[in-house]
Amino acid sequence: MAESVNARKLKIAVDAMGGDYAPATVVEGALAALRESNNRFEIIFVGDEKKIKEELKKHESTGLNFSIVDAPQVIEMDDIPTIALRRKKNSSIVVGMKLHSDGEVDAFASAGNTGAVLIAATFILGRIEGISRPTIGSVLPTEAGTKSIMLDVGANVDCKPHHLLEFAIMGHIYSNMMLGQKNPKVALLNIGEEGTKGSEVILQTYRLLSESKLNFIGNVEGRDILLGKADVIVCDGFVGNIVLKFAESVLGVLKRRLRNYAVKNIFRKLTFGFLARGLRKALKEFDYQEYGGVPFLGVNGVAVIGHGSSSAVAIKNMIYRAEEMVQKKINQRIKEALKNYKLKTEV
Amino acid sequence: MAESVNARKLKIAVDAMGGDYAPATVVEGALAALRESNNRFEIIFVGDEKKIKEELKKHESTGLNFSIVDAPQVIEMDDIPTIALRRKKNSSIVVGMKLHSDGEVDAFASAGNTGAVLIAATFILGRIEGISRPTIGSVLPTEAGTKSIMLDVGANVDCKPHHLLEFAIMGHIYSNMMLGQKNPKVALLNIGEEGTKGSEVILQTYRLLSESKLNFIGNVEGRDILLGKADVIVCDGFVGNIVLKFAESVLGVLKRRLRNYAVKNIFRKLTFGFLARGLRKALKEFDYQEYGGVPFLGVNGVAVIGHGSSSAVAIKNMIYRAEEMVQKKINQRIKEALKNYKLKTEV
């Protein structure tokens, strides 16, 4: 499994059929990762072999370290996950995840149907002992220049306080190991800073987090998310998903708005042309493509999920994230943290 | 009460002490409203008389239609609402709301402690018959050029399906009467478009809304909020508040980011200078100051709430919103809608 590899090269299975522009962007991005990293790992394309080969023809791939595992069925982006997983046993998601659970690969990365990947990961890889709800986190840029992780962002709609505590612990590890925070500041997403705010679940979670050994800094509000006050932002998957999708939409809305404004006369057009590059640069880290993939934490393996509309660059970065999670033994750290961080009163 | 005035001039009580920059911005904004509207209504400043008079000295106010009601106590922005309301009976919020419930004024507008205004409105004005939970809505600009209302955005943390249905009905009226939508599209904020998504409360609400006579278009996701797919976006106050505060913060973050980028060299500085005005214009309607105030719907009266950091312009607009709500008899419409829109099967 993911944690035990050392001598041999890492093997990363990539869902060749996952994403709005698959397999084109997946093949392009994966080859770019191999080229850029000097074949630091091996990529196993999982998907419709014929289509993958057609796609490969478009690129120079001599000497690159990849192979193909045929999985002719495709789980579409709008398939209902539970049904699709039952009916499409030969889909890239099921086949890829099984390769991982069989120990054939060290990680599985997909920009496909998120729900299907989450369910497949949970049932095929199984949960880490002590984790009742695996969670999907999203990495957000902050004004402070740091990266924070918000979790859950969609895997768990109804959460109990101990689920939220588990998210906090997993987020702590991810922030520490993957985002470089020495003593990650953990916060609860709430509608006020005071510990007396929020629903009963939120109030109880506040207490649990206060009693844990995590570096719990209290509540943060919606306005604090991008400021970098917290490194780990804990919420249920309903709130997290809505905020994340809203956030992703804002940049697009603003860009289109500025463009519409700009085209209205030639002077504006010129100024806008000058600024467009600057705008892109200034906002670069607010672009989710840059980080590539979000982690699905709490399962016995490494499953990284890319955005449905991933570009080749996003796919490349998603693969790097998968590699990094294996290298840094995130799951081993989570297991240790479950013992160490729960309650201050425990030893 | 608000609904019965016609012949005489409308009277709007304004919380002179409410807001981060009160009473300065409040006095300035209110006088501007009187001047601009040619004394179309009367303004009653409620607050510390001495301080209000000092502030008035800074402006030319001859012939403007205002008076002062002394309320020497101040509920601060960070006071705990329930405690403050009990202890500060002579505060601008309590005195102003009582003026309204006594029929002395037709509306009360405040940019002060939101929690205190909501609670005072609920208990002093009372709820409209058939409304179990008054709600605070926020008016959002959309890419489609329309304005939508999202509610609740903070008054009700835990909501039951019938509360959310009430929000939908009140939002329908507000969208129709105040935002100009003939047959407002009502949607439920959810984590997917399918009717099978979300928690038990959300699923039940979906059913209730489907059975209502509202123009229910189903679920919208976080990414749809700014697109204008829906005119009325229904959610509980926990989600709504977090999304709203997040949204308010984004513009600031982007502006600061662009400015930081711009100052790094002289060429960028110049281009940015050119664009700053354009940027402001292009994003103008995304600025909450423009709309001024958000309605607190479901109480027997008109209570409009301004943003804590309201500028004089925002105060002016908040006063106009209060006037408009009285003129358009929003509460009368809500009472009628409660009868007409609940269940398709009812008559």
Side-chain angles (χ1 to χ4, degrees):
Chain A
M1 283 294 257
E3 312 293 348
S4 58
V5 240
N6 252 323
R8 69 170 175 83
K9 253 184 200 179
L10 288 191
K11 291 184 180 186
I12 300 170
V14 177
D15 178 1
M17 315 314 283
D20 299 338
Y21 314 111
T25 46
V26 179
V27 168
E28 189 189 338
L31 294 181
L34 289 172
R35 219 175 283 123
E36 193 177 79
S37 72
N38 260 320
N39 285 323
R40 195 168 57 214
F41 37 79
E42 184 183 336
I43 281 176
I44 292 92
F45 288 113
V46 187
D48 186 324
E49 188 165 9
K50 244 177 71 187
K51 285 188 183 154
I52 297 170
K53 282 187 167 164
E54 259 166 53
E55 210 46 55
L56 281 164
K57 277 184 204 155
K58 300 177 190 164
H59 303 273
E60 173 55 54
S61 62
T62 326
L64 294 181
N65 196 10
F66 66 87
S67 57
I68 300 174
V69 169
D70 190 33
Q73 286 179 313
V74 178
I75 295 182
E76 305 291 347
M77 297 305 271
D78 53 0
D79 273 349
I80 296 172
T82 44
I83 297 174
L85 289 170
R86 234 182 356 248
R87 293 200 187 145
K88 299 178 177 175
K89 301 287 186 204
N90 281 318
S91 61
S92 53
I93 292 174
V94 175
V95 172
M97 209 65 88
K98 281 200 170 147
L99 281 177
H100 188 14
S101 79
D102 290 346
E104 296 289 320
V105 298
D106 304 298
F108 178 66
S110 171
N113 184 313
T114 304
V117 177
L118 298 189
I119 297 173
T122 306
F123 287 97
I124 298 174
L125 302 177
R127 288 171 286 144
I128 290 178
E129 207 192 315
I131 294 294
S132 39
R133 297 274 193 97
T135 177
I136 182 167
S138 181
V139 174
L140 302 169
T142 77
E143 227 185 330
T146 57
K147 282 191 163 59
S148 66
I149 180 166
M150 178 165 79
L151 65 191
D152 185 87
V153 295
N156 303 285
V157 168
D158 274 320
C159 293
K160 296 210 158 62
H162 73 275
H163 301 141
L164 292 159
L165 174 61
E166 289 174 11
F167 301 165
I169 292 170
M170 291 189 271
H172 163 89
I173 292 300
Y174 197 87
S175 172
N176 180 232
M177 301 295 295
M178 298 282 291
L179 307 174
Q181 296 302 323
K182 272 199 184 149
N183 188 20
K185 297 187 290 274
V186 176
L188 184 60
L189 187 58
N190 203 339
I191 59 170
E193 286 183 5
E194 315 82 10
T196 53
K197 290 264 186 175
S199 65
E200 196 45 47
V201 169
I202 291 292
L203 293 175
Q204 284 180 29
T205 307
Y206 189 94
R207 260 172 267 142
L208 267 186
L209 288 168
S210 303
E211 288 164 9
S212 79
K213 286 184 227 161
L214 295 163
N215 179 15
F216 179 56
I217 61 163
N219 294 326
V220 291
E221 298 185 66
R223 66 167 69 97
D224 304 318
I225 293 174
L226 294 177
L227 302 186
K229 283 192 184 178
D231 302 308
V232 179
I233 298 167
V234 177
C235 58
D236 70 41
F238 191 81
V239 177
N241 185 271
I242 287 171
V243 169
L244 179 65
K245 286 182 181 160
F246 180 81
E248 285 180 0
S249 78
V250 172
L251 218 55
V253 171
L254 291 179
K255 276 185 194 163
R256 286 191 293 275
R257 187 138 214 104
L258 283 172
R259 203 174 299 131
N260 287 343
Y261 173 82
V263 295
K264 282 187 183 150
N265 76 44
I266 184 72
F267 176 70
R268 287 185 191 172
K269 224 177 200 162
L270 278 172
T271 343
F272 187 75
F274 275 122
L275 205 94
R277 219 178 105 245
L279 208 75
R280 253 198 306 279
K281 270 195 194 171
L283 302 180
K284 189 176 171 190
E285 60 214 72
F286 281 89
D287 190 344
Y288 57 85
Q289 307 274 8
E290 290 297 319
Y291 196 73
V294 295
F296 187 51
L297 299 168
V299 289
N300 272 315
V302 170
V304 176
I305 292 147
H307 199 281
S309 62
S310 284
S311 63
V313 172
I315 295 286
K316 186 187 76 180
N317 289 330
M318 169 180 83
I319 292 168
Y320 287 152
R321 288 295 88 69
E323 182 199 18
E324 197 182 351
M325 280 185 68
V326 180
Q327 296 282 17
K328 291 186 170 166
K329 303 191 193 331
I330 297 302
N331 287 347
Q332 190 53 41
R333 297 285 166 273
I334 288 176
K335 285 175 199 164
E336 292 160 11
L338 283 171
K339 288 182 202 144
N340 297 333
Y341 280 93
K342 272 207 168 167
L343 296 182
K344 274 178 184 153
T345 44
E346 290 174 1
V347 184
Chain B
M1 282 294 258
E3 313 293 349
S4 58
V5 241
N6 252 322
R8 69 168 175 82
K9 254 185 198 177
L10 288 191
K11 293 184 179 185
I12 300 169
V14 177
D15 177 2
M17 315 315 282
D20 299 340
Y21 314 112
T25 46
V26 179
V27 169
E28 189 188 339
L31 294 180
L34 289 172
R35 217 174 285 122
E36 193 177 79
S37 71
N38 262 319
N39 285 324
R40 195 168 56 213
F41 38 79
E42 184 184 337
I43 282 176
I44 293 91
F45 289 112
V46 186
D48 186 325
E49 189 166 9
K50 245 177 69 185
K51 286 190 181 151
I52 297 169
K53 282 186 168 164
E54 259 167 53
E55 210 48 51
L56 281 165
K57 278 186 205 155
K58 301 178 189 163
H59 304 272
E60 173 53 54
S61 61
T62 325
L64 295 180
N65 196 10
F66 66 87
S67 57
I68 300 173
V69 170
D70 190 33
Q73 286 178 312
V74 178
I75 294 182
E76 306 290 347
M77 297 304 271
D78 52 0
D79 272 348
I80 296 172
T82 44
I83 297 174
L85 289 170
R86 234 181 358 247
R87 294 202 187 142
K88 298 179 178 175
K89 301 286 186 203
N90 281 318
S91 61
S92 52
I93 292 175
V94 175
V95 172
M97 210 64 87
K98 281 197 171 146
L99 281 177
H100 189 15
S101 79
D102 291 345
E104 296 290 320
V105 299
D106 304 298
F108 178 66
S110 171
N113 184 315
T114 303
V117 178
L118 299 190
I119 296 172
T122 306
F123 287 97
I124 298 173
L125 303 176
R127 288 171 286 143
I128 290 179
E129 207 194 315
I131 294 293
S132 39
R133 298 275 193 95
T135 176
I136 183 169
S138 180
V139 174
L140 301 169
T142 76
E143 226 186 331
T146 57
K147 281 191 163 57
S148 66
I149 181 166
M150 178 165 78
L151 66 190
D152 186 88
V153 296
N156 304 285
V157 169
D158 274 319
C159 292
K160 296 210 158 61
H162 72 275
H163 300 141
L164 292 160
L165 173 61
E166 290 174 9
F167 302 164
I169 292 170
M170 292 189 270
H172 163 89
I173 293 299
Y174 197 88
S175 172
N176 181 231
M177 300 295 296
M178 299 283 290
L179 307 175
Q181 296 302 323
K182 274 201 182 148
N183 187 21
K185 297 186 292 273
V186 176
L188 184 60
L189 188 57
N190 202 339
I191 58 168
E193 288 183 5
E194 314 81 10
T196 53
K197 289 265 185 174
S199 66
E200 196 45 47
V201 169
I202 290 292
L203 292 175
Q204 283 179 30
T205 307
Y206 189 94
R207 260 172 268 142
L208 267 186
L209 288 168
S210 303
E211 288 163 10
S212 80
K213 286 185 227 159
L214 295 163
N215 180 16
F216 179 57
I217 60 162
N219 294 326
V220 291
E221 299 184 65
R223 66 166 69 97
D224 305 318
I225 292 174
L226 293 177
L227 302 187
K229 283 193 186 180
D231 303 307
V232 179
I233 298 167
V234 177
C235 57
D236 70 41
F238 190 82
V239 176
N241 185 271
I242 287 172
V243 170
L244 179 66
K245 286 183 180 159
F246 180 81
E248 285 178 2
S249 78
V250 171
L251 219 55
V253 171
L254 291 179
K255 276 184 195 163
R256 286 192 294 275
R257 187 137 214 104
L258 282 171
R259 203 174 299 130
N260 286 343
Y261 173 82
V263 294
K264 283 188 182 147
N265 75 46
I266 183 70
F267 176 69
R268 286 185 192 172
K269 226 177 199 162
L270 277 172
T271 342
F272 188 75
F274 275 122
L275 206 94
R277 219 179 105 245
L279 208 74
R280 254 198 306 278
K281 271 197 193 169
L283 302 181
K284 190 176 170 187
E285 61 214 71
F286 282 88
D287 190 345
Y288 57 84
Q289 307 273 8
E290 290 298 318
Y291 196 72
V294 295
F296 187 50
L297 299 167
V299 289
N300 272 314
V302 170
V304 176
I305 292 148
H307 199 281
S309 62
S310 284
S311 63
V313 172
I315 295 285
K316 186 187 75 179
N317 290 330
M318 169 180 83
I319 292 169
Y320 288 151
R321 288 296 87 70
E323 182 199 17
E324 196 182 352
M325 279 183 69
V326 181
Q327 296 282 19
K328 292 188 170 165
K329 304 192 194 326
I330 298 301
N331 287 347
Q332 192 51 42
R333 298 285 166 275
I334 288 176
K335 285 175 200 164
E336 292 159 12
L338 283 171
K339 287 181 202 143
N340 296 333
Y341 280 93
K342 271 207 167 166
L343 296 183
K344 274 178 185 154
T345 44
E346 290 173 3
V347 184

